[in-house]
Amino acid sequence: MAKKKRALITGISGQDGSYLAELLFDKGYDVYGLLRRTSAGPPPYIEDLHLAKKLSYVYGNVRDLSTVRMVMEEVRPDEVYNLAAQSHVWVSFKVPDETWDTNYYGVGRVVNEAMRVNKDVRIYQASTSEMFGATLPPQNERSPFAPVSPYAESKLKAHEEFIVGYREKYGLFAASGILFNHESPRRGKHFVTRKITHSLAKIKLGLQEKLLLGNLEAKRDWGYAGDYVEVMRLILQQQKPHDYVIATGETRTVRDFVDAAATALDMHITWKGKGKSEVGRDTGGKVIIAVDPEFYRPHEVHQLLGDARKARRELGWKPKVSFDQLVEMMVKSDYDALKHQTS
Ligand code: GDD
């Protein structure tokens, strides 16, 4: 019988970590997660996977070399999925040091230690469409990078040095997915999509008055996280390591997302005004959406729209869940959970 592959996922407690752990377990892997200890403990879906013996977790942090070293020696992974990151763009302007330590130096710690215990290790790096920054869409693997935030700069430097660079210098199997925004009911509430679905569900149930947002004009290419983790595994099963843009090929504004979420809740919003004065009213004329410049970024990425033809051609990958299905799934999950809590 073939030996079971061992996968280590860093950033296991994030949205992608839980979906990927489930997928890898179903594919027959022994799955390990590097978990940052917090007083709140692991999120429920990680605890459930652990209790079901689908996932073993080891406490550690990519900011701490000794724990990275220990976990690599303990797990000796065949495949490493490096998802750990300070992943919030707005926050990266507030905490640039922490962002660089996790998103750049952290990648170096993971890659170097993984190579040290297994020179044939395969490494997946969560690279990001934010690296394209100011580059006009559509963006693909040949588009120039033009990062505009500490988050994107740190991710790009890690991508160039430890993924593309180590592949060329050391022949390491290091590959990346340049993922465009991907969302799900497990998305953190400080990202715009989940903030919208959670708040609108609360407004619908009379639990919240108003939703405050930043830039309503920003355009994003939003896909479903469950579809995107499949590609992470596929990337590591190829003969050669490459980088792939992963996206839906559709782009929408933040305002469009609000409208779609409202529709899924049988609500209708009428917009009025421009910029900081723009508001969204419900059918009774009450303002339920307003702009708060606090959520503006010092430097915004205005438009992301990915061209994922390489992934389609070489990996046979395409997204399965449509934009409307994604929004509906997120809204329903928030609405049902809130309804359950209040009944
Ligand atoms: N978070 C947030 N909160 N964003 C807002 C808000 C708000 O109240 N109002 C408007 N926005 C706008 C942001 O300015 C941005 O243009 C857009 O909504 C999306 O913001 P986020 O959901 O925070 O995601 P992101 O695009 O900055 O980054 C996400 O996707 C990247 C891939 O493209 C993150 O998941 C990154 O880690 C990831 O790399």
Side-chain angles (χ1 to χ4, degrees):
M1 210 172 75
K3 190 177 143 268
K4 270 183 136 186
K5 276 198 212 167
R6 296 160 85 89
L8 173 70
I9 305 171
T10 72
I12 189 71
S13 57
Q15 162 189 263
D16 295 2
S18 61
Y19 285 114
L20 180 63
E22 280 165 15
L23 173 86
L24 294 177
F25 176 80
D26 290 344
K27 296 277 178 196
Y29 285 69
D30 276 334
V31 190
Y32 296 81
L34 181 71
L35 185 69
R36 236 178 334 138
R37 207 207 73 85
T38 63
S39 46
Y45 30 86
I46 290 298
E47 197 57 22
D48 289 349
L49 286 172
H50 182 62
L51 290 172
K53 297 199 180 311
K54 295 182 173 183
L55 165 76
S56 312
Y57 53 70
V58 189
Y59 283 108
N61 190 331
V62 298
R63 298 182 65 191
D64 170 358
L65 176 62
S66 63
T67 58
V68 173
R69 183 163 289 170
M70 224 164 56
V71 74
M72 290 301 172
E73 279 167 2
E74 200 176 313
V75 175
R76 306 191 88 78
D78 301 296
E79 295 180 10
V80 174
Y81 294 85
N82 187 45
L83 311 185
Q86 191 304 91
S87 64
H88 202 282
V89 177
W90 181 87
V91 170
S92 78
F93 289 99
K94 313 264 173 199
V95 293
D97 279 15
E98 181 186 328
T99 302
W100 273 91
D101 195 33
T102 309
N103 297 3
Y104 170 68
Y105 293 105
V107 181
R109 293 179 194 110
V110 167
V111 170
N112 283 308
E113 293 306 313
M115 278 169 75
R116 210 169 54 76
V117 298
N118 175 10
K119 67 175 178 27
D120 296 322
V121 68
R122 293 185 168 211
I123 297 179
Y124 170 86
Q125 166 65 3
S127 289
T128 163
S129 55
E130 280 289 307
M131 301 188 311
F132 294 119
T135 298
L136 291 177
Q139 295 101 353
N140 65 26
E141 296 81 2
R142 290 178 307 283
S143 304
F145 294 124
V148 298
S149 64
Y151 169 76
E153 284 159 359
S154 59
K155 279 281 187 178
L156 175 58
K157 188 81 182 113
H159 175 81
E160 288 176 340
E161 180 153 350
F162 300 119
I163 304 304
V164 181
Y166 273 36
R167 188 155 82 203
E168 286 166 3
K169 274 188 270 202
Y170 306 121
L172 179 70
F173 196 112
S176 77
I178 303 176
L179 266 52
F180 283 60
N181 298 50
H182 45 289
E183 318 294 315
S184 75
R186 296 182 193 171
R187 187 60 145 150
K189 292 189 197 104
H190 49 300
F191 294 99
V192 78
T193 54
R194 182 79 198 291
K195 182 174 170 183
I196 294 168
T197 60
H198 190 252
S199 296
L200 283 188
K202 280 180 100 174
I203 291 171
K204 172 87 182 178
L205 288 163
L207 303 170
Q208 185 176 323
E209 289 286 310
K210 206 190 272 179
L211 162 62
L212 298 177
L213 292 169
N215 181 9
L216 298 170
E217 299 289 345
K219 287 186 161 176
R220 289 293 182 273
D221 180 331
W222 280 296
Y224 171 53
D227 287 344
Y228 285 37
V229 298
E230 286 181 12
V231 92
M232 299 178 184
R233 191 191 73 86
L234 283 175
I235 287 174
L236 291 196
Q237 313 315 308
Q238 303 309 300
Q239 284 207 323
K240 290 208 165 119
H242 282 287
D243 307 311
Y244 296 90
V245 159
I246 305 301
T248 68
E250 294 176 17
T251 191
R252 289 179 175 80
T253 62
V254 170
R255 193 186 299 98
D256 293 336
F257 195 102
V258 175
D259 280 332
T263 303
L265 282 162
D266 260 334
M267 293 162 79
H268 180 75
I269 293 169
T270 309
W271 299 96
K272 205 161 181 215
K274 272 211 166 333
K276 292 177 193 163
S277 321
E278 183 163 357
V279 291
R281 295 178 193 275
D282 66 10
T283 40
K286 187 174 158 212
V287 172
I288 55 167
I289 319 274
V291 172
D292 183 344
E294 162 72 6
F295 299 113
Y296 285 169
R297 291 160 187 198
H299 202 146
E300 175 69 286
V301 169
H302 295 289
Q303 204 179 347
L304 291 174
L305 166 64
D307 161 14
R309 276 177 299 179
K310 179 178 172 190
R312 176 91 193 247
R313 207 172 50 240
E314 295 185 11
L315 309 174
W317 179 87
K318 64 175 176 143
K320 298 186 195 106
V321 173
S322 73
F323 176 78
D324 287 335
Q325 287 169 330
L326 169 66
V327 177
E328 215 177 296
M329 177 199 309
M330 293 177 69
V331 163
K332 187 172 175 347
S333 158
D334 277 323
Y335 184 82
D336 289 351
L338 286 162
K339 185 117 204 212
H340 182 72
Q341 278 164 28
T342 50
S343 61

